Amino acid sequence: MSILADILRLPSETLELSYLYFNRYKHHVALKATPDPLDAHTLALTSLSLATKTTEAPRRLRELLLPAHRLLHNHSQGRSLTIPSPTYDALRASLVRAELLHLRTLKFELRAPLPLASAFLPRYLSRALALLSSTSVSGEGEGTDYDDLDPEQAAEDRILPLSDTALARACEAAVARAYASFALANFFPARAVAAACLLAELRRRRVGVGGVGGVGGGGEEVERWLSHVTDGRVEGEDVDEILAELEALPP
């Protein structure tokens, strides 16, 4: 779903929610003794379509079907989807029926536990970066607060918005990938998923979080880091379990 979300230029929140709908459906079906009427590809499309509506990022069905068909058939000769055509009409009707089935399976309950993990990323990322430029492990004596600069000065000095940094984009991608896991999407607090994804990305860049260098830092250093970045609202045990789940996800 992630590549299709990129093609459609969907916000990360939409992709996160589509994974939630996907996993919720699989969970409901697993509780029943009946065969799953939706194949994985159709379920992915219905999940993404529902998420675009819930997050007010609507896309027409043709906008989903055309790239999805191309990706699925991998540029096969003679398999391109054209509009209008009987094939397109059949696929569109099938997707509409599948979306209704998806809704019925979820009992039309599309609400998600809000906020999602991506909502916590800006604050956590800002604090983590400020901590790295501080003069003490506690975060005191911080360097320039780029988020608090006058807009004109920021524009003059070409200060990049936090959301446009490479680390922010990587963290958003990591959160979306995390929501592909049923366990991470359903059993862990969103703020813990956000903190774990940020920590994982820092470690991938070999950035220490204890203020003294090294990769990652030890258990006590990570606990201090979590306390500073999340105001003590994320448990280290949750982060450890989430990191293990992230490592187990397929690339």
Side-chain angles (χ1 to χ4, degrees):
M1 280 190 287
S2 61
I3 184 62
L4 189 55
D6 285 342
I7 293 171
L8 299 175
R9 307 293 178 89
L10 291 171
S12 58
E13 178 190 7
T14 304
L15 182 58
E16 290 175 53
L17 203 56
S18 67
Y19 279 129
L20 277 175
Y21 292 159
F22 185 97
N23 285 316
R24 278 185 179 179
Y25 175 89
K26 298 295 286 186
H27 179 64
H28 279 280
V29 170
L31 296 177
K32 301 178 181 179
T34 55
D36 187 350
L38 299 182
D39 62 84
H41 298 299
T42 303
L43 177 57
L45 277 178
T46 62
S47 300
L48 200 58
S49 178
L50 290 174
T52 63
K53 297 168 184 173
T54 308
T55 58
E56 298 184 352
R59 299 294 188 272
R60 293 178 297 176
L61 289 183
R62 67 168 61 188
E63 293 178 277
L64 276 76
L65 285 170
L66 286 173
H69 186 274
R70 188 174 183 85
L71 289 169
L72 182 60
H73 293 287
N74 197 27
H75 309 284
S76 298
Q77 283 287 82
R79 300 302 298 272
S80 59
L81 186 62
T82 57
I83 301 175
S85 69
T87 300
Y88 171 76
D89 292 342
L91 288 174
R92 190 183 189 284
S94 177
L95 183 57
V96 170
R97 289 194 299 270
E99 193 171 307
L100 180 58
L101 178 59
H102 194 156
L103 282 168
R104 286 174 175 168
T105 301
L106 298 182
K107 299 179 180 179
F108 292 86
E109 180 53 74
L110 295 180
R111 289 177 298 177
L114 297 175
L116 297 172
S118 58
F120 295 98
L121 277 178
R123 183 165 76 253
Y124 291 175
L125 183 57
S126 179
R127 291 180 178 179
L129 293 180
L131 183 61
L132 288 170
S133 66
S134 69
T135 58
S136 70
V137 177
S138 65
E140 298 176 355
E142 296 178 355
T144 302
D145 185 354
Y146 292 109
D147 295 326
D148 199 36
L149 286 179
D150 178 77
E152 290 187 5
Q153 181 186 346
E156 182 179 339
D157 295 341
R158 300 188 67 186
I159 304 299
L160 200 66
L162 181 63
S163 59
D164 289 346
T165 62
L167 181 58
R169 294 196 301 269
C171 287
E172 287 183 357
V175 166
R177 180 169 171 266
Y179 272 91
S181 161
F182 179 82
L184 296 183
N186 292 276
F187 300 144
F188 291 93
R191 65 180 72 246
V193 174
C197 287
L198 172 55
L199 181 58
E201 286 302 316
L202 288 173
R203 286 178 168 176
R204 192 168 69 85
R205 288 163 169 74
R206 302 185 65 81
V207 176
V209 299
V212 293
V215 181
E220 292 184 2
E221 290 180 338
V222 171
E223 287 287 352
R224 286 199 298 270
W225 181 84
L226 284 172
S227 178
H228 178 84
V229 170
T230 72
D231 290 325
R233 301 186 67 181
V234 171
E235 298 290 337
E237 291 182 358
D238 280 347
V239 169
D240 288 340
E241 291 183 34
I242 293 169
L243 289 172
E245 285 282 344
L246 288 173
E247 291 179 1
L249 289 176

